[in-house]
Short mmCIF file of all heavy atoms in Angstrom, two decimals:
data_model
loop_
_atom_site.label_atom_id
_atom_site.label_comp_id
_atom_site.label_asym_id
_atom_site.label_seq_id
_atom_site.Cartn_x
_atom_site.Cartn_y
_atom_site.Cartn_z
N PRO C 280 -70.53 14.78 47.51
CA PRO C 280 -71.11 15.69 48.50
C PRO C 280 -71.22 17.09 47.90
O PRO C 280 -70.46 17.43 46.99
CB PRO C 280 -70.12 15.65 49.66
CG PRO C 280 -68.86 15.08 49.11
CD PRO C 280 -69.20 14.30 47.88
N PRO C 281 -72.16 17.91 48.39
CA PRO C 281 -72.42 19.23 47.77
C PRO C 281 -71.18 20.10 47.57
O PRO C 281 -71.02 20.69 46.51
CB PRO C 281 -73.39 19.88 48.76
CG PRO C 281 -74.08 18.74 49.43
CD PRO C 281 -73.09 17.64 49.50
N LYS C 282 -70.33 20.20 48.56
CA LYS C 282 -69.15 21.08 48.45
C LYS C 282 -68.27 20.68 47.27
O LYS C 282 -67.74 21.53 46.56
CB LYS C 282 -68.33 21.03 49.75
CG LYS C 282 -68.74 22.10 50.75
CD LYS C 282 -68.22 23.49 50.31
CE LYS C 282 -69.04 24.60 50.94
NZ LYS C 282 -68.99 25.87 50.19
N SER C 283 -68.11 19.36 47.09
CA SER C 283 -67.23 18.87 46.02
C SER C 283 -67.81 19.12 44.64
O SER C 283 -67.12 19.07 43.64
CB SER C 283 -66.99 17.37 46.17
OG SER C 283 -66.61 17.06 47.47
N MET C 284 -69.12 19.37 44.58
CA MET C 284 -69.78 19.57 43.29
C MET C 284 -69.67 21.00 42.79
O MET C 284 -69.88 21.27 41.62
CB MET C 284 -71.27 19.24 43.44
CG MET C 284 -71.73 18.01 42.72
SD MET C 284 -73.51 17.86 42.88
CE MET C 284 -73.62 16.43 43.93
N GLU C 285 -69.37 21.92 43.74
CA GLU C 285 -69.47 23.35 43.40
C GLU C 285 -68.59 23.76 42.21
O GLU C 285 -68.93 24.68 41.47
CB GLU C 285 -69.13 24.21 44.62
CG GLU C 285 -70.24 24.21 45.65
CD GLU C 285 -69.90 25.05 46.87
OE1 GLU C 285 -68.84 25.69 46.90
OE2 GLU C 285 -70.73 25.05 47.81
N THR C 286 -67.46 23.12 42.05
CA THR C 286 -66.54 23.51 40.96
C THR C 286 -66.61 22.54 39.77
O THR C 286 -65.79 22.63 38.86
CB THR C 286 -65.09 23.55 41.46
OG1 THR C 286 -64.77 22.26 41.99
CG2 THR C 286 -64.90 24.60 42.55
N MET C 287 -67.58 21.65 39.77
CA MET C 287 -67.56 20.58 38.77
C MET C 287 -68.06 20.99 37.38
O MET C 287 -68.11 20.18 36.46
CB MET C 287 -68.29 19.34 39.29
CG MET C 287 -67.44 18.55 40.26
SD MET C 287 -65.87 18.03 39.51
CE MET C 287 -64.68 18.71 40.64
N LYS C 288 -68.40 22.28 37.20
CA LYS C 288 -68.58 22.77 35.84
C LYS C 288 -67.24 22.79 35.10
O LYS C 288 -67.19 22.85 33.88
CB LYS C 288 -69.20 24.17 35.84
CG LYS C 288 -68.27 25.26 36.40
CD LYS C 288 -68.87 26.65 36.25
CE LYS C 288 -67.93 27.72 36.80
NZ LYS C 288 -68.49 29.07 36.72
N SER C 289 -66.15 22.76 35.89
CA SER C 289 -64.81 22.82 35.28
C SER C 289 -64.32 21.45 34.81
O SER C 289 -63.18 21.32 34.35
CB SER C 289 -63.81 23.38 36.29
OG SER C 289 -63.62 22.46 37.35
N ASP C 290 -65.18 20.42 34.89
CA ASP C 290 -64.73 19.07 34.57
C ASP C 290 -64.62 18.83 33.06
O ASP C 290 -64.34 17.71 32.63
CB ASP C 290 -65.68 18.05 35.23
CG ASP C 290 -64.97 16.78 35.68
OD1 ASP C 290 -63.74 16.82 35.84
OD2 ASP C 290 -65.65 15.75 35.85
N MET C 291 -64.83 19.91 32.29
CA MET C 291 -64.63 19.83 30.83
C MET C 291 -63.38 20.61 30.42
O MET C 291 -63.18 20.91 29.24
CB MET C 291 -65.85 20.32 30.05
CG MET C 291 -66.66 21.45 30.66
SD MET C 291 -65.70 22.94 30.99
CE MET C 291 -65.44 23.50 29.31
N SER C 292 -62.53 20.93 31.42
CA SER C 292 -61.34 21.73 31.14
C SER C 292 -60.38 21.05 30.16
O SER C 292 -59.71 21.74 29.37
CB SER C 292 -60.58 22.03 32.44
OG SER C 292 -61.38 22.80 33.30
N GLY C 293 -60.29 19.74 30.22
CA GLY C 293 -59.40 19.03 29.30
C GLY C 293 -59.87 19.18 27.87
O GLY C 293 -59.07 19.46 26.95
N ALA C 294 -61.18 19.03 27.66
CA ALA C 294 -61.75 19.20 26.31
C ALA C 294 -61.57 20.64 25.84
O ALA C 294 -61.23 20.90 24.68
CB ALA C 294 -63.23 18.82 26.31
N ALA C 295 -61.78 21.59 26.76
CA ALA C 295 -61.61 23.00 26.40
C ALA C 295 -60.17 23.27 25.98
O ALA C 295 -59.92 24.01 25.01
CB ALA C 295 -62.00 23.89 27.58
N ALA C 296 -59.22 22.66 26.69
CA ALA C 296 -57.80 22.86 26.36
C ALA C 296 -57.47 22.27 24.99
O ALA C 296 -56.75 22.88 24.19
CB ALA C 296 -56.91 22.24 27.44
N ALA C 297 -58.00 21.07 24.72
CA ALA C 297 -57.74 20.43 23.43
C ALA C 297 -58.31 21.27 22.29
O ALA C 297 -57.64 21.49 21.26
CB ALA C 297 -58.35 19.02 23.42
N LEU C 298 -59.52 21.75 22.47
CA LEU C 298 -60.15 22.61 21.46
C LEU C 298 -59.34 23.89 21.25
O LEU C 298 -59.01 24.27 20.11
CB LEU C 298 -61.58 22.97 21.91
CG LEU C 298 -62.24 24.13 21.15
CD1 LEU C 298 -62.50 23.75 19.70
CD2 LEU C 298 -63.54 24.57 21.84
N ALA C 299 -59.02 24.56 22.35
CA ALA C 299 -58.30 25.83 22.26
C ALA C 299 -56.96 25.63 21.55
O ALA C 299 -56.57 26.42 20.69
CB ALA C 299 -58.09 26.41 23.66
N ALA C 300 -56.27 24.55 21.92
CA ALA C 300 -54.94 24.31 21.35
C ALA C 300 -55.02 24.07 19.84
O ALA C 300 -54.22 24.62 19.08
CB ALA C 300 -54.27 23.13 22.05
N ILE C 301 -55.97 23.26 19.39
CA ILE C 301 -56.01 22.96 17.95
C ILE C 301 -56.37 24.22 17.15
O ILE C 301 -55.85 24.43 16.05
CB ILE C 301 -56.94 21.76 17.63
CG1 ILE C 301 -56.64 21.25 16.20
CG2 ILE C 301 -58.40 22.10 17.76
CD1 ILE C 301 -57.36 19.96 15.85
N THR C 302 -57.21 25.09 17.71
CA THR C 302 -57.52 26.32 16.97
C THR C 302 -56.27 27.21 16.87
O THR C 302 -56.03 27.82 15.83
CB THR C 302 -58.67 27.13 17.63
OG1 THR C 302 -58.28 27.55 18.94
CG2 THR C 302 -59.95 26.34 17.70
N ALA C 303 -55.47 27.25 17.93
CA ALA C 303 -54.25 28.06 17.90
C ALA C 303 -53.24 27.48 16.91
O ALA C 303 -52.61 28.22 16.14
CB ALA C 303 -53.64 28.15 19.29
N VAL C 304 -53.10 26.16 16.91
CA VAL C 304 -52.16 25.52 15.99
C VAL C 304 -52.54 25.84 14.53
O VAL C 304 -51.68 26.15 13.70
CB VAL C 304 -52.13 23.99 16.21
CG1 VAL C 304 -51.35 23.28 15.11
CG2 VAL C 304 -51.52 23.67 17.58
N ALA C 305 -53.84 25.82 14.26
CA ALA C 305 -54.31 26.14 12.90
C ALA C 305 -54.05 27.61 12.57
O ALA C 305 -53.60 27.94 11.47
CB ALA C 305 -55.80 25.82 12.78
N ARG C 306 -54.33 28.49 13.53
CA ARG C 306 -54.11 29.93 13.28
C ARG C 306 -52.64 30.22 13.07
O ARG C 306 -52.28 31.11 12.30
CB ARG C 306 -54.60 30.74 14.49
CG ARG C 306 -56.10 30.80 14.60
CD ARG C 306 -56.54 32.17 15.11
NE ARG C 306 -57.91 32.39 14.73
CZ ARG C 306 -58.96 32.00 15.46
NH1 ARG C 306 -58.76 31.38 16.61
NH2 ARG C 306 -60.18 32.23 15.03
N LEU C 307 -51.78 29.49 13.78
CA LEU C 307 -50.34 29.71 13.64
C LEU C 307 -49.78 28.99 12.42
O LEU C 307 -48.60 29.11 12.11
CB LEU C 307 -49.61 29.22 14.91
CG LEU C 307 -49.93 29.99 16.20
CD1 LEU C 307 -49.38 29.27 17.43
CD2 LEU C 307 -49.38 31.41 16.13
N LYS C 308 -50.67 28.21 11.74
CA LYS C 308 -50.29 27.47 10.55
C LYS C 308 -49.06 26.58 10.78
O LYS C 308 -48.17 26.49 9.93
CB LYS C 308 -50.02 28.44 9.38
CG LYS C 308 -51.25 29.27 9.00
CD LYS C 308 -51.02 29.96 7.66
CE LYS C 308 -52.27 30.48 7.00
NZ LYS C 308 -53.20 31.24 7.87
N LEU C 309 -49.01 25.92 11.92
CA LEU C 309 -47.88 25.04 12.20
C LEU C 309 -47.94 23.82 11.28
O LEU C 309 -49.02 23.25 11.07
CB LEU C 309 -47.91 24.59 13.67
CG LEU C 309 -47.80 25.69 14.72
CD1 LEU C 309 -47.85 25.10 16.13
CD2 LEU C 309 -46.50 26.48 14.54
N PRO C 310 -46.80 23.42 10.72
CA PRO C 310 -46.79 22.28 9.80
C PRO C 310 -46.83 20.94 10.52
O PRO C 310 -45.85 20.20 10.56
CB PRO C 310 -45.48 22.47 9.02
CG PRO C 310 -44.59 23.23 9.95
CD PRO C 310 -45.48 24.06 10.83
N VAL C 311 -47.96 20.62 11.10
CA VAL C 311 -48.14 19.37 11.84
C VAL C 311 -49.63 19.01 11.77
O VAL C 311 -50.48 19.90 11.82
CB VAL C 311 -47.67 19.53 13.31
CG1 VAL C 311 -48.38 20.68 14.02
CG2 VAL C 311 -47.84 18.24 14.11
N ASN C 312 -49.92 17.72 11.63
CA ASN C 312 -51.32 17.29 11.69
C ASN C 312 -51.74 17.21 13.14
O ASN C 312 -51.04 16.64 13.97
CB ASN C 312 -51.49 15.89 11.08
CG ASN C 312 -51.08 15.86 9.62
OD1 ASN C 312 -51.46 16.73 8.84
ND2 ASN C 312 -50.29 14.85 9.25
N VAL C 313 -52.90 17.76 13.44
CA VAL C 313 -53.42 17.64 14.80
C VAL C 313 -54.86 17.18 14.73
O VAL C 313 -55.65 17.68 13.93
CB VAL C 313 -53.34 18.98 15.57
CG1 VAL C 313 -53.88 18.82 17.00
CG2 VAL C 313 -51.90 19.51 15.62
N VAL C 314 -55.18 16.18 15.55
CA VAL C 314 -56.59 15.81 15.73
C VAL C 314 -56.91 15.99 17.21
O VAL C 314 -56.04 15.81 18.07
CB VAL C 314 -56.90 14.35 15.32
CG1 VAL C 314 -56.88 14.19 13.82
CG2 VAL C 314 -55.94 13.39 15.97
N ALA C 315 -58.13 16.38 17.49
CA ALA C 315 -58.54 16.54 18.89
C ALA C 315 -59.89 15.87 19.07
O ALA C 315 -60.80 16.06 18.26
CB ALA C 315 -58.60 18.02 19.26
N TYR C 316 -59.99 15.09 20.12
CA TYR C 316 -61.26 14.44 20.48
C TYR C 316 -61.77 15.06 21.77
O TYR C 316 -61.06 15.07 22.78
CB TYR C 316 -61.05 12.93 20.67
CG TYR C 316 -60.76 12.24 19.36
CD1 TYR C 316 -59.45 12.03 18.95
CD2 TYR C 316 -61.79 11.84 18.52
CE1 TYR C 316 -59.17 11.43 17.73
CE2 TYR C 316 -61.53 11.23 17.31
CZ TYR C 316 -60.22 11.03 16.92
OH TYR C 316 -59.96 10.45 15.71
N LEU C 317 -62.97 15.59 21.71
CA LEU C 317 -63.59 16.12 22.92
C LEU C 317 -64.65 15.12 23.36
O LEU C 317 -65.64 14.90 22.65
CB LEU C 317 -64.24 17.49 22.64
CG LEU C 317 -63.45 18.49 21.78
CD1 LEU C 317 -64.20 19.83 21.71
CD2 LEU C 317 -62.04 18.70 22.32
N CYS C 318 -64.41 14.47 24.49
CA CYS C 318 -65.30 13.41 24.97
C CYS C 318 -66.29 14.04 25.94
O CYS C 318 -65.98 14.22 27.12
CB CYS C 318 -64.49 12.32 25.65
SG CYS C 318 -63.13 11.70 24.61
N ALA C 319 -67.47 14.39 25.42
CA ALA C 319 -68.39 15.24 26.18
C ALA C 319 -69.59 14.46 26.70
O ALA C 319 -70.30 13.79 25.94
CB ALA C 319 -68.85 16.40 25.30
N ALA C 320 -69.82 14.57 28.00
CA ALA C 320 -71.00 13.96 28.62
C ALA C 320 -71.28 14.69 29.92
O ALA C 320 -70.39 15.32 30.49
CB ALA C 320 -70.75 12.47 28.90
N GLU C 321 -72.55 14.62 30.35
CA GLU C 321 -72.91 15.17 31.65
C GLU C 321 -73.13 14.00 32.60
O GLU C 321 -73.93 13.11 32.29
CB GLU C 321 -74.18 16.04 31.53
CG GLU C 321 -74.51 16.77 32.82
CD GLU C 321 -75.69 17.73 32.66
OE1 GLU C 321 -76.70 17.34 32.03
OE2 GLU C 321 -75.60 18.85 33.18
N ASN C 322 -72.42 13.99 33.71
CA ASN C 322 -72.50 12.87 34.64
C ASN C 322 -73.56 13.14 35.71
O ASN C 322 -73.31 13.86 36.67
CB ASN C 322 -71.12 12.64 35.30
CG ASN C 322 -71.05 11.34 36.10
OD1 ASN C 322 -71.85 10.42 35.87
ND2 ASN C 322 -70.12 11.27 37.03
N MET C 323 -74.76 12.57 35.48
CA MET C 323 -75.91 12.87 36.36
C MET C 323 -76.53 11.58 36.88
O MET C 323 -76.45 10.53 36.24
CB MET C 323 -76.96 13.67 35.56
CG MET C 323 -76.47 15.04 35.09
SD MET C 323 -76.29 16.22 36.43
CE MET C 323 -77.97 16.83 36.51
N PRO C 324 -77.21 11.67 38.02
CA PRO C 324 -77.80 10.47 38.63
C PRO C 324 -79.26 10.26 38.26
O PRO C 324 -80.09 9.97 39.11
CB PRO C 324 -77.65 10.77 40.13
CG PRO C 324 -77.82 12.27 40.22
CD PRO C 324 -77.32 12.84 38.91
N GLY C 325 -79.64 10.42 37.01
CA GLY C 325 -81.03 10.26 36.59
C GLY C 325 -81.49 8.80 36.65
O GLY C 325 -80.70 7.90 36.94
N GLY C 326 -82.76 8.59 36.33
CA GLY C 326 -83.33 7.25 36.39
C GLY C 326 -82.68 6.28 35.42
O GLY C 326 -82.71 5.06 35.62
#
Side-chain angles (χ1 to χ4, degrees):
K282 268 286 157 204
S283 310
M284 248 185 249
E285 286 179 4
T286 57
M287 282 302 124
K288 68 174 181 182
S289 68
D290 214 20
M291 34 57 72
S292 297
L298 165 67
I301 195 172
T302 62
V304 170
R306 287 217 158 88
L307 295 169
K308 299 193 164 46
L309 298 180
V311 56
N312 299 314
V313 180
V314 287
Y316 290 93
L317 317 185
C318 307
E321 187 174 44
N322 190 21
M323 296 289 274

